[in-house]
PDB file of all heavy atoms in Angstrom:
ATOM      1  N   VAL G 196       7.704  -2.437   7.796  1.00 97.00           N
ATOM      2  CA  VAL G 196       7.476  -3.240   6.586  1.00 97.00           C
ATOM      3  C   VAL G 196       8.245  -2.722   5.376  1.00 97.00           C
ATOM      4  O   VAL G 196       8.494  -3.460   4.424  1.00 97.00           O
ATOM      5  CB  VAL G 196       5.972  -3.357   6.215  1.00 97.00           C
ATOM      6  CG1 VAL G 196       5.186  -4.098   7.284  1.00 97.00           C
ATOM      7  CG2 VAL G 196       5.352  -1.995   5.960  1.00 97.00           C
ATOM      8  N   LEU G 302       1.643   3.255  -4.378  1.00 98.00           N
ATOM      9  CA  LEU G 302       2.475   2.530  -3.402  1.00 98.00           C
ATOM     10  C   LEU G 302       3.671   3.330  -2.891  1.00 98.00           C
ATOM     11  O   LEU G 302       3.766   3.633  -1.701  1.00 98.00           O
ATOM     12  CB  LEU G 302       2.948   1.191  -3.987  1.00 98.00           C
ATOM     13  CG  LEU G 302       3.866   0.368  -3.074  1.00 98.00           C
ATOM     14  CD1 LEU G 302       3.110  -0.099  -1.832  1.00 98.00           C
ATOM     15  CD2 LEU G 302       4.440  -0.846  -3.794  1.00 98.00           C
ATOM     16  N   SER G 305       2.990   6.724  -1.235  1.00 98.00           N
ATOM     17  CA  SER G 305       2.498   6.625   0.141  1.00 98.00           C
ATOM     18  C   SER G 305       3.597   6.160   1.092  1.00 98.00           C
ATOM     19  O   SER G 305       3.659   6.581   2.242  1.00 98.00           O
ATOM     20  CB  SER G 305       1.337   5.628   0.213  1.00 98.00           C
ATOM     21  OG  SER G 305       0.272   6.070  -0.589  1.00 98.00           O
ATOM     22  N   SER G 348      -9.318  -5.049   6.199  1.00 98.00           N
ATOM     23  CA  SER G 348      -7.879  -4.932   6.479  1.00 98.00           C
ATOM     24  C   SER G 348      -7.073  -5.708   5.434  1.00 98.00           C
ATOM     25  O   SER G 348      -5.879  -5.475   5.262  1.00 98.00           O
ATOM     26  CB  SER G 348      -7.554  -5.428   7.889  1.00 98.00           C
ATOM     27  OG  SER G 348      -7.803  -6.816   7.981  1.00 98.00           O
ATOM     28  N   LYS G 350      -7.272  -5.322   2.411  1.00 98.00           N
ATOM     29  CA  LYS G 350      -6.953  -4.423   1.296  1.00 98.00           C
ATOM     30  C   LYS G 350      -5.517  -3.910   1.379  1.00 98.00           C
ATOM     31  O   LYS G 350      -4.987  -3.374   0.415  1.00 98.00           O
ATOM     32  CB  LYS G 350      -7.891  -3.193   1.323  1.00 98.00           C
ATOM     33  CG  LYS G 350      -9.344  -3.489   1.034  1.00 98.00           C
ATOM     34  CD  LYS G 350     -10.137  -2.188   0.814  1.00 98.00           C
ATOM     35  CE  LYS G 350     -10.328  -1.403   2.093  1.00 98.00           C
ATOM     36  NZ  LYS G 350     -11.118  -0.151   1.889  1.00 98.00           N
ATOM     37  N   CYS G 351      -4.906  -4.037   2.536  1.00 98.00           N
ATOM     38  CA  CYS G 351      -3.588  -3.435   2.813  1.00 98.00           C
ATOM     39  C   CYS G 351      -2.541  -3.793   1.759  1.00 98.00           C
ATOM     40  O   CYS G 351      -2.383  -4.954   1.406  1.00 98.00           O
ATOM     41  CB  CYS G 351      -3.112  -3.891   4.192  1.00 98.00           C
ATOM     42  SG  CYS G 351      -1.462  -3.298   4.606  1.00 98.00           S
ATOM     43  N   ILE G 352      -1.826  -2.777   1.259  1.00 98.00           N
ATOM     44  CA  ILE G 352      -0.740  -3.034   0.299  1.00 98.00           C
ATOM     45  C   ILE G 352       0.642  -2.866   0.953  1.00 98.00           C
ATOM     46  O   ILE G 352       1.652  -2.749   0.263  1.00 98.00           O
ATOM     47  CB  ILE G 352      -0.852  -2.142  -0.958  1.00 98.00           C
ATOM     48  CG1 ILE G 352      -0.851  -0.644  -0.600  1.00 98.00           C
ATOM     49  CG2 ILE G 352      -2.099  -2.499  -1.755  1.00 98.00           C
ATOM     50  CD1 ILE G 352      -0.755   0.289  -1.808  1.00 98.00           C
ATOM     51  N   ARG G 353       0.660  -2.839   2.295  1.00 98.00           N
ATOM     52  CA  ARG G 353       1.929  -2.812   3.052  1.00 98.00           C
ATOM     53  C   ARG G 353       2.844  -1.662   2.654  1.00 98.00           C
ATOM     54  O   ARG G 353       4.038  -1.862   2.414  1.00 98.00           O
ATOM     55  CB  ARG G 353       2.693  -4.128   2.844  1.00 98.00           C
ATOM     56  CG  ARG G 353       1.883  -5.380   3.106  1.00 98.00           C
ATOM     57  CD  ARG G 353       1.913  -5.792   4.546  1.00 98.00           C
ATOM     58  NE  ARG G 353       1.292  -7.090   4.730  1.00 98.00           N
ATOM     59  CZ  ARG G 353       0.013  -7.268   5.097  1.00 98.00           C
ATOM     60  NH1 ARG G 353      -0.770  -6.219   5.333  1.00 98.00           N
ATOM     61  NH2 ARG G 353      -0.472  -8.472   5.256  1.00 98.00           N
ATOM     62  N   CYS G 354       2.275  -0.471   2.572  1.00 98.00           N
ATOM     63  CA  CYS G 354       3.082   0.690   2.215  1.00 98.00           C
ATOM     64  C   CYS G 354       3.763   1.299   3.442  1.00 98.00           C
ATOM     65  O   CYS G 354       4.733   2.029   3.324  1.00 98.00           O
ATOM     66  CB  CYS G 354       2.214   1.737   1.533  1.00 98.00           C
ATOM     67  SG  CYS G 354       1.081   2.560   2.668  1.00 98.00           S
ATOM     68  N   GLY G 355       3.213   1.026   4.628  1.00 97.00           N
ATOM     69  CA  GLY G 355       3.821   1.546   5.849  1.00 97.00           C
ATOM     70  C   GLY G 355       3.449   2.986   6.176  1.00 97.00           C
ATOM     71  O   GLY G 355       3.919   3.533   7.182  1.00 97.00           O
ATOM     72  N   ALA G 356       2.602   3.616   5.358  1.00 98.00           N
ATOM     73  CA  ALA G 356       2.260   5.020   5.615  1.00 98.00           C
ATOM     74  C   ALA G 356       1.613   5.199   6.988  1.00 98.00           C
ATOM     75  O   ALA G 356       1.855   6.199   7.675  1.00 98.00           O
ATOM     76  CB  ALA G 356       1.324   5.545   4.524  1.00 98.00           C
ATOM     77  N   CYS G 357       0.795   4.229   7.390  1.00 98.00           N
ATOM     78  CA  CYS G 357       0.123   4.347   8.692  1.00 98.00           C
ATOM     79  C   CYS G 357       1.140   4.320   9.836  1.00 98.00           C
ATOM     80  O   CYS G 357       0.946   4.948  10.872  1.00 98.00           O
ATOM     81  CB  CYS G 357      -0.940   3.258   8.848  1.00 98.00           C
ATOM     82  SG  CYS G 357      -0.344   1.572   8.648  1.00 98.00           S
ATOM     83  N   MET G 358       2.230   3.590   9.641  1.00 97.00           N
ATOM     84  CA  MET G 358       3.274   3.543  10.679  1.00 97.00           C
ATOM     85  C   MET G 358       4.020   4.866  10.750  1.00 97.00           C
ATOM     86  O   MET G 358       4.299   5.385  11.817  1.00 97.00           O
ATOM     87  CB  MET G 358       4.277   2.436  10.373  1.00 97.00           C
ATOM     88  CG  MET G 358       3.621   1.113  10.175  1.00 97.00           C
ATOM     89  SD  MET G 358       4.851  -0.101   9.673  1.00 97.00           S
ATOM     90  CE  MET G 358       3.787  -1.515   9.586  1.00 97.00           C
ATOM     91  N   PRO G 379      -0.172   0.766  13.206  1.00 97.00           N
ATOM     92  CA  PRO G 379      -1.634   0.698  13.142  1.00 97.00           C
ATOM     93  C   PRO G 379      -2.186  -0.546  12.449  1.00 97.00           C
ATOM     94  O   PRO G 379      -3.097  -1.193  12.962  1.00 97.00           O
ATOM     95  CB  PRO G 379      -1.995   1.971  12.382  1.00 97.00           C
ATOM     96  CG  PRO G 379      -0.905   2.935  12.755  1.00 97.00           C
ATOM     97  CD  PRO G 379       0.336   2.112  12.856  1.00 97.00           C
ATOM     98  N   ILE G 380      -1.635  -0.921  11.287  1.00 97.00           N
ATOM     99  CA  ILE G 380      -2.192  -2.100  10.602  1.00 97.00           C
ATOM    100  C   ILE G 380      -1.913  -3.358  11.418  1.00 97.00           C
ATOM    101  O   ILE G 380      -2.732  -4.276  11.466  1.00 97.00           O
ATOM    102  CB  ILE G 380      -1.648  -2.229   9.147  1.00 97.00           C
ATOM    103  CG1 ILE G 380      -2.309  -3.394   8.409  1.00 97.00           C
ATOM    104  CG2 ILE G 380      -0.138  -2.385   9.104  1.00 97.00           C
ATOM    105  CD1 ILE G 380      -3.792  -3.243   8.178  1.00 97.00           C
ATOM    106  N   GLY G 381      -0.764  -3.374  12.109  1.00 96.00           N
ATOM    107  CA  GLY G 381      -0.445  -4.520  12.964  1.00 96.00           C
ATOM    108  C   GLY G 381      -1.460  -4.694  14.084  1.00 96.00           C
ATOM    109  O   GLY G 381      -1.833  -5.811  14.442  1.00 96.00           O
ATOM    110  N   ILE G 383      -4.482  -4.271  14.002  1.00 96.00           N
ATOM    111  CA  ILE G 383      -5.694  -4.923  13.507  1.00 96.00           C
ATOM    112  C   ILE G 383      -5.452  -6.381  13.155  1.00 96.00           C
ATOM    113  O   ILE G 383      -6.245  -7.249  13.473  1.00 96.00           O
ATOM    114  CB  ILE G 383      -6.231  -4.207  12.246  1.00 96.00           C
ATOM    115  CG1 ILE G 383      -6.450  -2.724  12.514  1.00 96.00           C
ATOM    116  CG2 ILE G 383      -7.519  -4.860  11.772  1.00 96.00           C
ATOM    117  CD1 ILE G 383      -6.756  -1.932  11.257  1.00 96.00           C
ATOM    118  N   CYS G 406      -3.713   7.558  10.737  1.00 97.00           N
ATOM    119  CA  CYS G 406      -3.455   6.377   9.908  1.00 97.00           C
ATOM    120  C   CYS G 406      -4.529   6.228   8.836  1.00 97.00           C
ATOM    121  O   CYS G 406      -4.237   5.985   7.668  1.00 97.00           O
ATOM    122  CB  CYS G 406      -3.384   5.116  10.772  1.00 97.00           C
ATOM    123  SG  CYS G 406      -4.691   5.001  12.018  1.00 97.00           S
ATOM    124  N   THR G 407      -5.770   6.394   9.234  1.00 97.00           N
ATOM    125  CA  THR G 407      -6.882   6.274   8.296  1.00 97.00           C
ATOM    126  C   THR G 407      -6.776   7.330   7.203  1.00 97.00           C
ATOM    127  O   THR G 407      -7.056   7.069   6.039  1.00 97.00           O
ATOM    128  CB  THR G 407      -8.213   6.421   9.066  1.00 97.00           C
ATOM    129  OG1 THR G 407      -8.250   5.409  10.072  1.00 97.00           O
ATOM    130  CG2 THR G 407      -9.416   6.281   8.152  1.00 97.00           C
ATOM    131  N   VAL G 409      -4.097   8.685   5.886  1.00 98.00           N
ATOM    132  CA  VAL G 409      -3.038   8.495   4.900  1.00 98.00           C
ATOM    133  C   VAL G 409      -3.160   7.185   4.127  1.00 98.00           C
ATOM    134  O   VAL G 409      -2.500   7.015   3.098  1.00 98.00           O
ATOM    135  CB  VAL G 409      -1.615   8.558   5.533  1.00 98.00           C
ATOM    136  CG1 VAL G 409      -1.357   9.926   6.141  1.00 98.00           C
ATOM    137  CG2 VAL G 409      -1.409   7.451   6.549  1.00 98.00           C
ATOM    138  N   CYS G 410      -3.977   6.261   4.596  1.00 98.00           N
ATOM    139  CA  CYS G 410      -4.019   4.921   3.985  1.00 98.00           C
ATOM    140  C   CYS G 410      -4.445   4.999   2.516  1.00 98.00           C
ATOM    141  O   CYS G 410      -5.533   5.464   2.203  1.00 98.00           O
ATOM    142  CB  CYS G 410      -4.965   4.018   4.765  1.00 98.00           C
ATOM    143  SG  CYS G 410      -5.095   2.375   4.025  1.00 98.00           S
ATOM    144  N   PRO G 411      -3.589   4.538   1.587  1.00 98.00           N
ATOM    145  CA  PRO G 411      -3.904   4.666   0.159  1.00 98.00           C
ATOM    146  C   PRO G 411      -5.073   3.804  -0.290  1.00 98.00           C
ATOM    147  O   PRO G 411      -5.632   4.059  -1.354  1.00 98.00           O
ATOM    148  CB  PRO G 411      -2.608   4.226  -0.531  1.00 98.00           C
ATOM    149  CG  PRO G 411      -1.925   3.356   0.457  1.00 98.00           C
ATOM    150  CD  PRO G 411      -2.279   3.903   1.804  1.00 98.00           C
ATOM    151  N   VAL G 412      -5.428   2.786   0.486  1.00 98.00           N
ATOM    152  CA  VAL G 412      -6.563   1.941   0.099  1.00 98.00           C
ATOM    153  C   VAL G 412      -7.766   2.166   1.015  1.00 98.00           C
ATOM    154  O   VAL G 412      -8.706   1.377   1.041  1.00 98.00           O
ATOM    155  CB  VAL G 412      -6.190   0.444   0.056  1.00 98.00           C
ATOM    156  CG1 VAL G 412      -5.271   0.158  -1.123  1.00 98.00           C
ATOM    157  CG2 VAL G 412      -5.516   0.013   1.350  1.00 98.00           C
ATOM    158  N   LYS G 413      -7.715   3.260   1.757  1.00 98.00           N
ATOM    159  CA  LYS G 413      -8.845   3.711   2.576  1.00 98.00           C
ATOM    160  C   LYS G 413      -9.370   2.646   3.549  1.00 98.00           C
ATOM    161  O   LYS G 413     -10.573   2.399   3.617  1.00 98.00           O
ATOM    162  CB  LYS G 413      -9.985   4.181   1.674  1.00 98.00           C
ATOM    163  CG  LYS G 413      -9.665   5.480   0.949  1.00 98.00           C
ATOM    164  CD  LYS G 413     -10.932   6.143   0.461  1.00 98.00           C
ATOM    165  CE  LYS G 413     -10.706   7.603   0.161  1.00 98.00           C
ATOM    166  NZ  LYS G 413     -11.940   8.308  -0.150  1.00 98.00           N
ATOM    167  N   ILE G 414      -8.458   2.029   4.276  1.00 98.00           N
ATOM    168  CA  ILE G 414      -8.900   1.152   5.361  1.00 98.00           C
ATOM    169  C   ILE G 414      -9.249   2.055   6.546  1.00 98.00           C
ATOM    170  O   ILE G 414      -8.493   2.978   6.865  1.00 98.00           O
ATOM    171  CB  ILE G 414      -7.785   0.152   5.754  1.00 98.00           C
ATOM    172  CG1 ILE G 414      -7.416  -0.718   4.554  1.00 98.00           C
ATOM    173  CG2 ILE G 414      -8.222  -0.716   6.938  1.00 98.00           C
ATOM    174  CD1 ILE G 414      -6.189  -1.596   4.784  1.00 98.00           C
ATOM    175  N   ILE G 416      -8.722   2.343   9.539  1.00 97.00           N
ATOM    176  CA  ILE G 416      -7.827   1.693  10.505  1.00 97.00           C
ATOM    177  C   ILE G 416      -8.220   1.990  11.962  1.00 97.00           C
ATOM    178  O   ILE G 416      -8.378   1.075  12.766  1.00 97.00           O
ATOM    179  CB  ILE G 416      -6.357   2.120  10.276  1.00 97.00           C
ATOM    180  CG1 ILE G 416      -5.961   1.889   8.813  1.00 97.00           C
ATOM    181  CG2 ILE G 416      -5.415   1.352  11.204  1.00 97.00           C
ATOM    182  CD1 ILE G 416      -4.585   2.428   8.450  1.00 97.00           C
TER     183      ILE G 416
HETATM  184  S1  SF4 C 601      -3.014  -0.151   6.357  1.00 66.17           S
HETATM  185 FE1  SF4 C 601      -2.993   1.320   4.665  1.00 66.17          FE
HETATM  186  S2  SF4 C 601      -1.429   2.794   5.283  1.00 66.17           S
HETATM  187 FE2  SF4 C 601      -1.094   0.985   6.565  1.00 66.17          FE
HETATM  188  S3  SF4 C 601       0.403  -0.257   5.455  1.00 66.17           S
HETATM  189 FE3  SF4 C 601      -1.607  -0.971   4.828  1.00 66.17          FE
HETATM  190  S4  SF4 C 601      -2.077   0.172   2.956  1.00 66.17           S
HETATM  191 FE4  SF4 C 601      -0.406   1.270   3.989  1.00 66.17          FE
END
Side-chain angles (χ1 to χ4, degrees):
Chain G
V196 296
L302 178 66
S305 299
S348 66
K350 293 191 289 181
C351 177
I352 58 172
R353 308 273 188 264
C354 72
C357 56
M358 306 175 178
I380 184 65
I383 305 171
C406 44
T407 302
V409 298
C410 178
V412 289
K413 290 199 161 187
I414 300 172
I416 307 173

